[in-house]
Amino acid sequence: MSAQGAAHIKAICKAAGNDPARLMDIAIAVQKQLGAVSDTAIDLIATHLKIPRVDVDSLVTFYAFFSKTPKGRVIIRLCNDVVDQMNGAAEVAAALETELGIRFGETSPDGAISLEYAPCIGLSDQAPAALINDVPVTHLDSGKARHLAQLLKREGTQARLVKTFGDGNNAHDLIRSMVVNNIRETGPVILAPYTSGSGLKKALALSPAEVIRDIKTSRLRGRGGAGFPTGMKWDFTRQAGGDQRFIICNADEGEPGTFKDRVLMTECPDLIFEGMTIAGYAVGAAEGIFYLRAEYAYLEKFLTAILTQRRKAGQLGQTICGKAGFHFDIRLQMGAGAYVCGEETALISSCEGRRGDPKNRPPFPAQKGYKGCPTSVNNAETLCCVARILECGPGWFAAMGTKGSAGTKLLSISGDCARPGVYEVPFGVKVSDLLKKVGADHTAAIQVGGPSGRMIGPKEFNRIICYDDLSTGGSFILFNKGRNVVDIARQFMDFFVEESCGYCTPCRVGNVLLRNKLVEILAGHGALEDLAYLEELGRTTKLASRCGLGQTSPNPVLSTLENFRPAYEALFKKSRGHEPVLANFDLQAALSQGSILAGRASSIFTPVNGSQP
Amino acid sequence: MAAKPKVATASLAGCFGCHMSILDIDERILDLIELIDFDKSPIDDLKEFTGRCAIGLIEGGCCNEENVRNLIEFRKHCDLLISVGECAICGGIPALRNTLPLQECFDEAYKHGPTVYNPSGQYPNDPDLPLILNKVYPCHEVVKIDYHLQGCPPSADTIWAALTALLTGKPVQLPYELIKYD
């Protein structure tokens, strides 16, 4: 490494106070400045931070956006999740490869451009989409992809890529993105006009205990998917011992098919930050962390500016809104591409400057969270509701929705429908009514809650969206008749195999076995007994995994088995004529290499319609 | 007196250790032949099945097409098929090659190995040699297997306990001492 590079690293570490808890920020800065976090860089960082080298190494190798070897100056990350695949990601990929003369996973020989796949980048409503460094490009097709590749080859930078901007704040000076909001339906709570500071002022007129009481009265529950009562979580956090507490806003929506937080951050950042500030006041925290996933780095400058603005307006910092003794500030924590960091304990690990390893629960973050202190981790949407509840009153909020599910829910709709995008609907909406609303006439299957949720069929379309019936973090991916649900489940399993942190064996191994069996079945080598195998393996993986990832990752398999069993059965070939060999065992494939090396075909098994002993 | 049930055994990609362990039941083999007749097996050197068998014991996984054919024959002729030992159940030592392409294994074995003298550079390729499979398969990935007897090898007592229980229609009792391996 050059002396200059070493000096950069020293300066970056120093700027972060040589604080090991800021290792994420340091690694991100080094990656950005030097194009890689090389082994030498890892040595230097470990020395400056006075921590074991392995701590730095394990962090760098964990996150998708870090690399030890230099990548291209421009990295194209094409999203290859299910919705993008449905919308022609394969053609886009082929066009990029042809035009750039490199394959996915490669860097052009001149070091200009790298080509990679990324799991969901939060743009399923405008798929196929890609990130060019941190600039999103949407609605791609093969023509646009060729054009894009030519432009990047010619200019070597993404700087002049975006010519027209999206609606709303997407056109803001600090965002300037072609992403569109796709807000299809606004509602009374979140996507409604809001005067910055109005909720906060009312909160500060109450005591913290009264704020928690109001949140409890409003019956607000967590919007991330688990649905834990927010007031109760705050109560636990407040009552936990210790003199330091933290608020973390989880906007790490890595669940493929989820993109509501993207819209919230673009259009309602004040509402989120205000909710965080109120949460800080209620639980007695002085610091909040806003976790921004690397895929949304294009929003970083904008969000930073909003935070600065709020500090200037006295809504963050010391003595907020003149309230003596209430000090609270928010720092932005960038992620670096890891789905598992959406799990709250993994998110905390990441904020602490570690690999995104989940932690054992209990103790729950409310007792022992960030840096071992009581921490309330809330979804961005939940915090938006908080600000509005304080502004308009808990009764106003509780009157909306259903008995057990107060308020409204943001839904991220993607897949086969006329109007994909974000919808704010009151709890209690029937799935079939939602389908009409979004212009989906031929829906055969819906993936509810993303890959970790469930796939439902028409017999469940009369269910109601609320915590007591069809509970969801809000993602609906719609599939028409003709889509292969087994292959969709296989794609989801590919995703989980990639995103498993590898800490516990059931998740690391179980997901691979599930995926491999699906591949076998899809290749026509399945047998009826495989379904029992999948069910048993899926249940074991769920039961024995350490965190929410492995506890939910078999769901695509289990729910399609439950609701779409005929789709599996249709893939079983009746008989391949070589009883009693199992259908899974492909004898001809098993003999292929040996046959080439020997230069002759099998004299035992002649390949007639498969293989006949 | 009714004909005794028949037992057949085979060693596929194994080391014959499991068969040694069968013989290791010592004088109980006299009790065993009161209960059964051996059919196709290296123990009596019978090369072909003479009829329907109650139990087939399989040692070793499948590393070549001959193993597959043999296993198919066993499945066709035996009411119950038992994978005996690590290689039959998991592939065992032979399956160590599964992480390498077949060509690399051949090159190491027949060309580049430190003790190899092979100036012509040819692989052995007599038509009588069975083709080698891309990887070594455990038996239950090729045909349906009814029971697994773990161990490397399973001890004589384990084999004895399993066989006598199956042949007398009693539940198999494998106490802890028989299935611990350290």
Side-chain angles (χ1 to χ4, degrees):
Chain A
M1 174 173 295
S2 67
Q4 197 189 6
H8 276 310
I9 291 172
K10 189 174 183 186
I12 287 167
C13 292
K14 198 174 170 207
N18 288 327
D19 179 3
R22 302 288 303 282
L23 187 54
M24 279 292 280
D25 302 329
I26 293 168
I28 291 167
V30 171
Q31 175 79 39
K32 200 167 182 179
Q33 182 81 42
L34 304 175
V37 190
S38 64
D39 280 318
T40 326
I42 289 172
D43 282 336
L44 287 170
I45 294 170
T47 312
H48 292 311
L49 268 49
K50 298 190 176 64
I51 53 175
R53 182 184 194 284
V54 66
D55 287 1
V56 187
D57 193 283
S58 69
L59 178 120
V60 169
T61 52
F62 183 83
Y63 294 94
F65 280 52
F66 297 143
S67 61
K68 281 192 176 185
T69 48
K71 291 190 185 168
R73 289 181 289 281
V74 173
I75 302 175
I76 301 177
R77 291 188 171 91
L78 178 65
C79 180
N80 66 346
D81 80 357
V82 167
V83 183
D84 292 71
Q85 296 287 354
M86 281 161 54
N87 286 292
E91 288 88 70
V92 173
L96 287 172
E97 285 188 336
T98 316
E99 196 61 45
L100 295 169
I102 52 172
R103 316 275 310 227
F104 273 83
E106 293 178 356
T107 300
S108 61
D110 59 354
I113 298 174
S114 291
L115 208 45
E116 289 181 4
Y117 283 116
C120 189
I121 56 174
L123 294 164
S124 303
D125 56 333
Q126 35 213 304
L131 288 174
I132 316 298
N133 286 344
D134 51 12
V135 175
V137 288
T138 59
H139 289 301
L140 288 168
D141 56 35
S142 50
K144 285 184 193 169
R146 267 193 297 276
H147 179 74
L148 171 77
Q150 285 159 1
L151 188 139
L152 288 173
K153 270 201 296 195
R154 196 170 59 239
E155 306 203 342
T157 163
Q158 74 281 8
R160 297 202 302 140
L161 204 61
V162 180
K163 304 242 163 27
T164 49
F165 304 130
D167 55 336
N169 282 338
N170 289 301
H172 190 283
D173 263 354
L174 293 172
I175 301 182
R176 297 167 73 85
S177 165
M178 68 165 75
V179 172
V180 290
N181 286 329
N182 273 336
I183 298 173
R184 305 286 182 173
E185 187 169 319
T186 58
V189 181
I190 298 163
L191 301 172
Y194 180 72
T195 315
S196 178
S198 49
L200 182 58
K201 284 197 190 88
K202 291 206 177 161
L204 296 181
L206 303 171
S207 72
E210 285 168 334
V211 173
I212 294 179
R213 183 205 60 200
D214 273 7
I215 296 299
K216 282 183 175 171
T217 315
S218 76
R219 292 186 286 114
L220 173 64
R221 294 170 65 173
R223 296 315 200 218
F228 193 82
T230 308
M232 206 189 284
K233 188 185 275 185
W234 287 6
D235 225 359
F236 291 152
T237 313
R238 181 166 186 83
Q239 284 167 12
D243 44 358
Q244 246 192 324
R245 294 184 189 78
F246 293 93
I247 300 295
I248 294 181
C249 173
N250 186 349
D252 189 48
E253 51 175 3
E255 195 74 43
T258 315
F259 42 83
K260 64 176 176 74
D261 291 346
R262 179 197 83 216
V263 175
L264 284 181
M265 288 184 277
T266 311
E267 297 304 327
C268 324
D270 260 317
L271 204 54
I272 304 175
F273 295 144
E274 193 138 327
M276 286 181 78
T277 314
I278 293 168
Y281 178 66
V283 308
E287 191 182 340
I289 300 170
F290 185 90
Y291 194 90
L292 183 63
R293 61 193 297 243
E295 291 81 352
Y296 291 159
Y298 74 102
L299 296 170
E300 187 186 359
K301 273 188 209 154
F302 173 66
L303 292 171
T304 307
I306 299 284
L307 286 175
T308 310
Q309 197 179 310
R310 290 186 69 85
R311 275 180 210 115
K312 279 190 192 141
Q315 293 166 335
L316 280 178
Q318 301 291 310
T319 323
I320 289 174
C321 297
K323 179 84 180 177
F326 178 44
H327 317 303
F328 185 79
D329 211 331
I330 296 172
R331 86 171 163 91
L332 217 56
Q333 175 65 60
M334 288 302 300
Y339 165 75
V340 72
C341 289
E343 198 277 343
E344 61 176 5
T345 60
L347 183 103
I348 290 172
S349 298
S350 189
C351 290
E352 290 168 340
R354 292 182 229 250
R355 287 163 51 99
D357 282 330
K359 303 177 183 189
N360 287 332
R361 297 190 307 183
F364 288 89
Q367 287 115 38
K368 208 162 175 278
Y370 181 65
K371 293 182 174 173
C373 302
T375 303
S376 177
V377 184
N378 295 107
N379 186 270
E381 185 184 344
T382 314
L383 292 164
C384 289
C385 293
V386 163
R388 294 284 287 159
I389 289 166
L390 268 299
E391 183 198 53
C392 302
W396 165 83
F397 187 82
M400 285 177 277
T402 66
K403 194 160 169 283
S405 314
T408 61
K409 182 80 193 82
L410 289 183
L411 304 179
S412 311
I413 311 287
S414 62
D416 292 320
C417 65
R419 291 180 291 280
V422 172
Y423 293 72
E424 181 178 351
V425 298
F427 276 111
V429 169
K430 203 186 258 189
V431 174
S432 54
D433 293 335
L434 177 69
L435 290 178
K436 281 190 206 117
K437 213 188 273 268
V438 306
D441 303 325
H442 308 287
T443 307
I446 308 177
Q447 184 70 28
V448 181
S452 71
R454 296 180 64 240
M455 190 182 278
I456 62 169
K459 71 176 192 306
E460 291 186 71
F461 288 179
N462 59 354
R463 292 184 65 180
I464 294 192
I465 298 169
C466 65
Y467 293 106
D468 310 315
D469 189 357
L470 190 63
S471 180
T472 168
S475 155
F476 285 75
I477 308 176
L478 314 182
F479 302 105
N480 276 353
K481 294 182 182 68
R483 301 281 184 198
N484 181 345
V485 294
V486 182
D487 193 49
I488 292 165
R490 192 270 308 162
Q491 292 184 48
F492 287 153
M493 293 318 296
D494 274 343
F495 171 74
F496 287 124
V497 166
E498 185 62 33
E499 295 297 333
S500 169
C501 80
Y503 188 104
C504 72
T505 311
C507 176
R508 183 181 66 243
V509 176
N511 287 319
V512 174
L513 294 177
L514 285 167
R515 191 264 316 266
N516 289 356
K517 186 55 83 180
L518 291 184
V519 170
E520 243 174 52
I521 292 173
L522 283 161
H525 300 317
L528 201 56
E529 56 263 31
D530 290 340
L531 301 189
Y533 166 85
L534 284 172
E535 271 164 351
E536 195 187 333
L537 181 60
R539 277 199 302 270
T540 306
T541 305
K542 280 177 78 125
L543 180 75
S545 287
R546 186 160 175 258
C547 83
L549 195 154
Q551 286 160 10
T552 56
S553 59
N555 285 348
V557 179
L558 295 176
S559 63
T560 47
L561 274 174
E562 189 186 329
N563 295 327
F564 299 92
R565 190 168 280 254
Y568 282 86
E569 287 163 354
L571 290 164
F572 300 145
K573 303 253 168 68
K574 285 284 174 287
S575 165
R576 301 202 301 161
H578 51 282
E579 284 285 312
V581 170
L582 297 175
N584 304 128
F585 183 65
D586 187 343
L587 183 57
Q588 290 310 320
L591 283 168
S592 58
Q593 291 175 29
S595 186
I596 292 169
L597 290 171
R600 60 190 160 93
S602 168
S603 53
I604 299 178
F605 300 103
T606 43
V608 181
N609 296 332
S611 45
Q612 187 72 40
Chain B
M1 181 184 146
K4 288 184 280 185
K6 292 178 180 179
V7 172
T9 75
S11 178
L12 308 179
C15 69
F16 266 92
C18 294
H19 274 77
M20 293 299 117
S21 203
I22 294 173
L23 295 179
D24 206 22
I25 59 176
D26 297 332
E27 77 285 359
R28 282 173 292 183
I29 199 160
L30 298 174
D31 298 330
L32 187 61
I33 53 167
E34 291 295 313
L35 282 171
I36 59 134
D37 281 329
F38 277 108
D39 201 276
K40 178 177 159 84
S41 167
I43 291 172
D44 57 10
D45 209 19
L46 217 52
K47 306 292 189 201
E48 299 297 335
F49 279 100
T50 65
R52 188 85 200 146
C53 295
I55 298 174
L57 301 176
I58 305 292
E59 169 191 343
C62 292
C63 76
N64 64 32
E65 55 178 347
E66 174 62 31
N67 296 150
V68 175
R69 174 166 69 179
N70 222 335
L71 189 57
I72 289 173
E73 287 303 302
F74 266 75
R75 183 69 271 180
K76 282 181 177 167
H77 284 92
C78 301
D79 295 341
L80 289 179
L81 212 49
I82 306 178
S83 275
V84 180
E86 160 72 13
C87 299
I89 296 171
C90 295
I93 300 277
L96 286 176
R97 75 163 164 96
N98 285 5
T99 54
L100 300 168
L102 190 55
Q103 169 119 39
E104 274 184 44
C105 298
F106 270 49
D107 285 346
E108 184 66 18
Y110 301 123
K111 287 185 182 173
H112 309 314
T115 59
V116 175
Y117 176 73
N118 181 6
S120 74
Q122 278 187 318
Y123 302 137
N125 193 12
D126 188 277
D128 282 345
L129 291 174
L131 294 181
I132 305 294
L133 303 182
N134 289 7
K135 61 173 191 160
V136 177
Y137 293 84
C139 293
H140 64 268
E141 287 190 9
V142 180
V143 301
K144 179 173 186 291
I145 296 290
D146 300 292
Y147 294 102
H148 297 93
L149 268 186
Q150 303 99 315
C152 184
S155 68
D157 290 342
T158 312
I159 296 170
W160 173 254
L163 272 184
T164 48
L166 284 170
L167 290 165
T168 54
K170 291 186 184 130
V172 182
Q173 304 268 359
L174 294 175
Y176 176 68
E177 306 83 69
L178 294 186
I179 47 170
K180 78 174 180 69
Y181 304 103
D182 52 352

